[in-house]
Each structure stands twice: as C-alpha cells, then as structure tokens.
C-alpha cells in the first residue's frame, strides 16, 4: 500500500501544476467516444488540439485521458472546458482524498481505485478524476487499465441503456466500475484473514500477529477511502432537492443513490471484517496463553511427582549416625521400591482426577 504524503505550499501557488503520482513514465494519451442512440464515433490517440473539432455538443462525449505527466495536455483540456485551476490541481495531486466540487457548470469528482497487489498484502492505489459539463465527461487516469473496458464494449455494441442516456449516466457507470474494485479488494482481504485464522490455530509464530496488524491497517485504509466517497455521493443526492445542478437529470439521481447505498454496505462489511481481525488477534493470544498454561501444567505435574521422592531422598541423605535403616541389608531396595510404588500411585490418582 502506497503511503500518502502531502505536499505543503500548494495552496499558496494555485497556478503551479505538478503531477504527484508514481506513474511518472506513462505517456499522456487521449481517447474520445462521441455517441448517441443511433451513432458512435471513436477516436484513439487523439491530439489535444483536435478535441474541439471532434466533440459534438448534440451527442454524449466521453474523453478519457490516460497518463497525467503531460501538464500542457491537462491544462489544454481544462481550458477547453473552462475549468478553474484548483480543479486541475486536484486532478494532478494524487494525495488528495476523494472529493466532490461544483463550480459554475462543471462537476468535479475524484475517487481512489484500490486493488490488491498480486502475491502481496499491499494495496495498489490509483486516483481517477472526472469532469462533467453538460454532455461532456472527461475521465483522468494515471495509467491505462481495464476498469472501463466493459463500459466501452457496451457503448460500442449498444448494450443496455448507456447509449440512450446522457453523460451523467455514464459518470454513474464509471463510478460503479471503480467501486467494484473495492469489493475485489475486500474479498481478497477476507480470504487472507481467513487463512490467518486457520494458521493461528496451529502456530504461535509472532509473524501471524504482524500479518494481522498489516491487514488491520489495510481495512483502515479502505475505510478512510470509502468514507469521503460516501459523503460525496450523499452530496450528489442532496443536489436533487436543491435543484442547483443541471448536468444530472432528475431521473438519474436514483443511480447515484445506489452508489451511496453501496458505500454503506462496504463500510458495514469492513466493520464486520475488522471485528473478525479482532477475533483472530484474540484467538492468537488465547492460543498462546492456552499453550503456555499447558506447558506450566505439565511442568507442575512433573514437579509434584518428584517432590515426595526428593523428600525421601533428602531424609536418607542426612549424615546422622543413628539411622537404623542405613544398616538394613535390603534397605536400598525397599526404599527404591517404595518410591516406585509411590510414583505409580500418584500417577494413577492424577489420572483419575483428570489433572493431566
């Protein structure tokens, strides 16, 4: 999981743009879909200066920007939509938490896409940002990924109602696709936690506790990522009552309500999984205490077995002259036999009482 580091001083230089992500070598590329119910046009590797000539304001336009390294391209896209500089700064600053901003006729939305790293306990983080203005939707991704592949195919094949809806419905689909990654990540974490619980039943290695704390941090990170998303989606819901934003049709607010409900479900699941981690941690300590108690019990039983034998040996190890048993011909064998019978009697008694 990448640790987020906040850069100081960005607010005092609002015109300064700097991509703060880790994908510094990714080339910035543009992809444009222009479609309506009857027609679709797709532009790959579009030049930024060709956006105005290819956008059709009578149709839905989806401009997908892959890679955020070319600041001039990002600024040109912002200039075309007449986007305020602070929105462009938030697109490039990947340390920002999920947020929703409305400025004039532009809706800005960014979200963290989280996916598990293969063969690792870490979580991969990518920021995806959206600008919605009338029927133009721009999505900004740090790198190419397959998050939206199925949505592109639905647009190409006219599957579902996406070609019949406006850009606000497309925004809903994209957000929903990103949120699916949360489910994948949580499911992966749950599988690993289940493995930890099973391992903790047979092992008391300290590494188990380290892994438990690692997954606890992952769940906390997931929670910190989903809570601002939940709040942002609730803000979209409230716009319906305020009637202050015209880029989202009234009939489509229900779709964003579904996303808000998904956030609540995700948070509930994380709470449940965090409780499972607490149970795993408690089980680990209980197992350790139980095994320690078993060891102490065994040592105590062995000590009790040898206490009377040690007492007898101690008596006949004294150097008094007047000890008649020392002169018995068979005294050694009698005392040794008595000690053996005493030991057997104690073992039988302890066994009968189920003390071991």
């Amino acid at each position: 999981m990448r640790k987020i580091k906040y850069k100081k001083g960005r607010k005092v230089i609002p015109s300064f743009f700097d991509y703060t992500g880790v994908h510094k070598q990714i080339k910035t590329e543009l992809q444009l879909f222009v479609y309506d119910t009857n027609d679709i046009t797709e532009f790959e590797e579009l030049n930024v200066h060709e956006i105005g000539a290819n956008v059709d304001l009578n149709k839905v336009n989806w401009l997908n920007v892959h890679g955020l390294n070319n600041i001039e391209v990002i600024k040109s896209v912002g200039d075309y939509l007449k986007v305020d500089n602070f929105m462009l700064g938030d697109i490039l600053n990947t340390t920002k938490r999920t947020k929703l901003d409305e400025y004039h006729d532009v809706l800005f939305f960014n979200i963290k896409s989280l996916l598990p790293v293969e063969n690792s306990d870490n979580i991969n983080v990518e920021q995806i940002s959206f600008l919605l203005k009338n029927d133009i939707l721009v999505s900004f991704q740090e790198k190419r990924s397959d998050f939206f592949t199925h949505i592109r195919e639905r647009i190409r094949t006219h599957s579902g109602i996406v070609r019949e809806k406006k850009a606000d419905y497309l925004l809903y689909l994209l957000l929903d696709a990103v949120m699916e990654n949360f489910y994948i990540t949580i499911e992966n974490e749950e599988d690993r936690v289940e493995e930890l619980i099973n391992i903790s039943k047979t092992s008391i290695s300290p590494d188990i506790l380290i892994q438990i704390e690692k997954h606890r941090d992952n769940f906390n990170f997931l929670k910190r990522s989903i809570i601002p998303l939940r709040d942002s989606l609730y803000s979209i819901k409230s716009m319906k009552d305020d009637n202050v934003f015209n880029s989202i049709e009234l009939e489509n607010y229900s779709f964003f309500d579904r996303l808000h409900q998904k956030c609540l479900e995700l948070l509930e699941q994380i709470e449940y999984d965090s409780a499972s981690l607490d149970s795993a941690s408690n089980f680990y300590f209980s197992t350790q205490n139980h095994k320690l108690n078993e060891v102490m019990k065994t040592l105590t039983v062995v000590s009790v077995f040898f206490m009377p034998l040690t007492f007898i040996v101690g008596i006949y190890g004294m150097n008094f002259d007047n000890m008649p048993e020392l002169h018995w011909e068979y005294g050694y064998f009698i005392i040794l036999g008595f000690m053996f019978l005493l030991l057997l009697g104690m073992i039988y008694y302890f066994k009968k009482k189920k003390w071991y």
Side-chain angles (χ1 to χ4, degrees), residues 34 52 54-61 80-81 133-136 166:
V34 181
N54 291 292
V55 165
D56 188 344
L57 298 180
N58 295 317
K59 298 180 180 180
V60 177
N61 302 269
Y80 175 77
L81 295 177
K133 181 176 182 179
N134 299 324
D135 268 334
I136 301 176
K166 301 291 186 180

Side-chain angles (χ1 to χ4, degrees), residues 128-186:
I128 302 177
S129 304
F130 303 97
L131 293 174
L132 176 62
K133 181 176 182 179
N134 299 324
D135 268 334
I136 301 176
L137 176 63
V138 185
S139 57
F140 298 87
Q141 296 179 250
E142 295 187 66
K143 59 183 179 66
R144 279 191 177 272
S145 59
D146 57 356
F147 302 156
F148 307 141
T149 300
H150 65 290
I151 298 177
R152 296 187 184 97
E153 288 302 315
R154 289 174 64 177
I155 294 174
R156 294 182 183 119
T157 60
H158 204 330
S159 177
I161 61 174
V162 60
R163 294 263 294 269
E164 300 171 7
K165 291 287 188 177
K166 301 291 186 180
D168 56 343
Y169 180 77
L170 178 60
L171 174 61
Y172 154 73
L173 290 179
L174 299 181
L175 290 174
D176 186 57
V178 176
M179 289 183 64
E180 286 299 316
N181 295 338
F182 286 106
Y183 286 98
I184 295 173
T185 305
I186 291 176

Side-chain angles (χ1 to χ4, degrees), residues 233-336:
L233 290 169
Y234 181 81
S235 298
I236 291 181
K237 286 175 54 180
S238 66
M239 288 180 182
K240 179 179 180 181
D241 300 325
D242 298 337
N243 196 26
V244 296
F245 191 70
N246 296 322
S247 290
I248 298 180
E249 296 181 332
L250 289 177
E251 62 182 18
N252 289 336
Y253 278 98
S254 60
F255 295 112
F256 294 95
D257 187 26
R258 294 179 189 178
L259 297 181
H260 180 257
Q261 292 299 320
K262 280 190 174 183
C263 285
L264 298 179
E265 293 174 2
L266 287 168
L267 289 173
E268 289 178 0
Q269 187 62 36
I270 289 175
E271 290 295 335
Y272 173 80
D273 293 332
S274 296
S276 298
L277 268 182
D278 291 337
S279 299
S281 180
N282 293 335
F283 185 84
Y284 172 81
F285 286 116
S286 297
T287 302
Q288 276 198 324
N289 291 333
H290 175 71
K291 291 189 175 183
L292 179 61
N293 291 336
E294 287 296 316
V295 172
M296 295 302 297
K297 179 181 177 181
T298 302
L299 293 176
T300 302
V301 169
V302 172
S303 299
V304 171
F305 283 162
F306 283 93
M307 282 177 61
L309 306 182
T310 304
F311 174 73
I312 294 173
V313 171
I315 289 177
Y316 289 100
M318 294 185 294
N319 294 319
F320 291 109
D321 291 332
N322 190 15
M323 293 186 69
E325 296 89 343
L326 296 179
H327 303 287
W328 291 356
E329 183 178 357
Y330 301 104
Y332 168 76
F333 300 103
I334 293 173
I335 294 301
L336 193 63

